Amino acid sequence: MVNRLKLTGVFRDLSNSDNLIYVCEQITGEIINGRSIVFESQILGEIVSFDKINVPFSDNIFEIVIRLKKETKWTAEEVKGKEVIIL
């Protein structure tokens, strides 16, 4: 089974400029710290941490912190609203 997320919102981690904080919907699989996030065959970064967000009528909304790779060609806004894969 492929682990998939839909990234729905993005925020900059003010304490660390290499990290982005995304609000995401878990579509399939599981979220695991240390795993890579892939969008259109390119690794965006690594999951640093995640936490479930309590939202009425949904149990699959999370906040995840991603440490970005320096050589990624995608901006945070370009991947917002898109599905990504966890490797």
Side-chain angles (χ1 to χ4, degrees):
M1 174 186 278
V2 176
N3 301 325
R4 293 186 182 273
L5 299 172
K6 181 174 182 180
L7 304 176
T8 57
V10 62
F11 308 96
R12 173 75 54 195
D13 182 348
L14 298 177
S15 65
N16 185 336
S17 63
D18 293 336
N19 291 349
L20 284 179
I21 301 171
Y22 279 98
V23 174
C24 64
E25 177 184 356
Q26 183 181 15
I27 297 171
T28 60
E30 60 184 320
I31 303 171
I32 300 171
N33 286 339
R35 295 284 180 96
S36 295
I37 297 287
V38 177
F39 177 67
E40 294 189 3
S41 301
Q42 184 184 30
I43 295 176
L44 295 176
E46 176 182 293
I47 298 174
V48 175
S49 66
F50 66 95
D51 195 19
K52 187 172 187 162
I53 300 173
N54 293 322
V55 178
F57 309 110
S58 180
D59 63 346
N60 61 345
I61 304 297
F62 290 83
E63 172 187 277
I64 62 170
V65 178
I66 300 173
R67 181 178 302 119
L68 298 176
K69 292 191 77 72
K70 299 290 184 200
E71 61 275 0
T72 185
K73 67 179 182 179
W74 303 104
T75 67
E77 289 299 319
E78 288 175 320
V79 297
K80 190 171 87 175
K82 305 289 195 286
E83 281 189 24
V84 296
I85 296 172
I86 302 172
L87 293 182

